[in-house]
Amino acid sequence: MTLIDRIGPFFAGEMSMQPVRVAVLAYDGVSPFHLSVPGLVFGTEAPPAGMSAYQVIHVAEKPGRIRTSQGMTLDVPTGLAALADADIVIVPAWSDPEVAASTKLVTAVKAAHARGARVVGLCLGAFVLGDAGLLDGRHATTHWAARDVFSHRFPHANFRPEVLYVDDGTIVTSAGTAAAIDCCLNIVRQRDGADVANRLARMLVTPPHRQGGQAQFIEQPVPELPSESRLPGVLEWARAHLAEVISLDVLADAAHMSRRTFTRRFREATGMTVVKWLTAERLARAQQLLETTDLPVERIATEVGFGTALTLRQNFLSHFGTTPSEYRRSFSLGQSAA
């Protein structure tokens, strides 16, 4: 099943001019950060040009006051009945992965999904999707610290504990903290394009949208010396020179590190090898060019550093299950197909 096959039905139901309705679950013990992420991304007060209109509401199983994990109290007057009208249902990080969601909650989430809503589990929110039976036979992830509990509770899910987020069509799951932002930005990117998503990321003062296949930042050490924080500058340099031949030695020299030290620091910072990171960055740039320009595929392959159209097509098919030309026909913003 290709990328287009998986998400096509989702977009087919969203072509009207009505705002995209986003329902975010609130409950006692919810993380204020995860509760706020959908509002930050979809409900930004000054959205970039070209971004769709989104209407974000919060719902609770028991409407009224809820108490967050940080001790704050919030008034949530809307109940689960609102899920019946939602286009996107988002479950923030569940407070305890060992505690199953209530029958009432999972019934409402299952009904929303059956009706056609896209259901998103941020971090431990994936456990609620699992309780609802929505992860059986699907690819899914959650915070790496809960991987053993997740594997035990949902053995029929195709668990991918190493990645930032997994988009399986109408079911989306993410890892923890910043990955929740990447997950929501990816939904914006799919609907409105990479350019809009990246401009929104800049407005939120976050890095550009990251591909879901990047690794979670597991036990990343805090740099002890100023000289150890050169990686961000090196990564930005690499993003600006993707068309060039970029090797491990080139990056190590730019960071003023030995090859061995750079390799270790790079994996600590990104969770990936240099080759995998460069491939992901080149694919992301190719997506943006396919969406926002009418450059031929051969030119795009050169611009992003794949060299030949064949290499670009092979990587695109391997990562996205579709070709660059098919992707452009589905996601380009009024540009002609190559």
Side-chain angles (χ1 to χ4, degrees):
M1 182 177 290
T2 68
L3 172 73
I4 308 305
D5 293 329
R6 288 191 290 108
I7 66 178
F10 169 69
F11 289 110
E14 288 200 8
M15 297 304 291
S16 70
M17 299 301 292
Q18 296 297 321
V20 180
R21 293 159 298 189
V22 182
V24 184
L25 179 68
Y27 54 87
D28 283 329
V30 69
S31 160
F33 173 81
H34 282 278
L35 187 63
S36 68
V37 166
L40 288 172
V41 174
F42 299 111
T44 180
E45 294 183 358
M51 183 173 172
S52 300
Y54 294 87
Q55 178 185 21
V56 181
I57 64 169
H58 293 86
V59 304
E61 183 175 349
K62 297 180 179 179
R65 286 192 174 275
I66 66 161
R67 187 178 181 84
T68 73
S69 62
Q70 299 299 312
M72 297 180 290
T73 58
L74 302 173
D75 186 30
V76 183
T78 307
L80 296 179
L83 299 189
D85 297 320
D87 298 303
I88 302 174
V89 175
I90 299 181
V91 183
W94 196 237
S95 55
D96 189 343
E98 299 280 4
V99 176
S102 70
T103 300
K104 182 179 179 181
L105 176 55
V106 299
T107 298
V109 171
K110 286 176 65 175
H113 180 257
R115 182 185 48 76
R118 201 176 207 193
V119 181
V120 182
L122 300 179
C123 192
L124 301 183
F127 280 80
V128 176
L129 277 61
D131 288 332
L134 298 180
L135 302 183
D136 291 351
R138 290 182 177 269
H139 294 280
T141 193
T142 192
H143 194 290
W144 64 268
R147 58 184 180 268
D148 292 337
V149 180
F150 189 94
S151 296
H152 175 72
R153 290 194 56 199
F154 310 118
H156 299 299
N158 295 320
F159 187 35
R160 299 184 60 192
E162 77 284 0
V163 300
L164 291 177
Y165 59 87
V166 177
D167 186 336
D168 199 336
T170 56
I171 297 294
V172 186
T173 51
S174 84
T177 320
I181 298 177
D182 288 298
C183 177
C184 291
L185 283 173
N186 184 58
I187 295 174
V188 173
R189 187 199 64 76
Q190 288 182 342
R191 181 175 178 84
D192 303 320
D195 185 54
V196 170
N198 286 339
R199 282 188 283 123
L200 176 59
R202 287 194 294 272
M203 291 175 61
L204 298 175
V205 198
T206 67
H209 162 251
R210 297 177 292 175
Q211 297 290 333
Q214 294 191 37
Q216 297 185 29
F217 294 166
I218 301 176
E219 298 179 0
Q220 179 181 343
V222 176
E224 297 178 357
L225 300 171
S227 61
E228 296 182 351
S229 62
R230 298 191 187 103
L231 274 180
V234 172
L235 299 186
E236 287 305 311
W237 177 87
R239 290 189 181 101
H241 295 80
L242 290 175
E244 302 175 15
V245 176
I246 302 176
S247 66
L248 173 58
D249 289 330
V250 168
L251 295 179
D253 287 344
H256 305 293
M257 298 179 188
S258 69
R259 179 188 177 100
R260 181 177 179 180
T261 298
F262 180 82
T263 299
R264 175 169 56 83
R265 295 272 166 76
F266 189 90
R267 184 175 285 277
E268 288 171 351
T270 68
M272 309 173 77
T273 65
V274 169
V275 171
K276 287 186 176 180
W277 184 85
L278 282 171
T279 298
E281 291 296 323
R282 284 172 168 146
L283 285 170
R285 178 59 178 155
Q287 285 179 300
Q288 185 177 25
L289 292 175
L290 288 166
E291 294 171 13
T292 60
T293 76
D294 58 1
L295 291 174
V297 171
E298 291 76 11
R299 173 70 180 278
I300 291 176
T302 301
E303 290 285 328
V304 303
F306 280 122
T308 68
L310 177 60
T311 303
L312 173 60
R313 290 188 184 100
Q314 289 174 336
N315 279 279
F316 231 80
L317 189 61
S318 174
H319 285 77
F320 305 128
T322 189
T323 67
S325 294
E326 289 172 343
Y327 181 89
R328 167 173 272 166
R329 281 192 288 271
S330 297
F331 294 103
S332 63
L333 303 180
Q335 303 291 341
S336 60

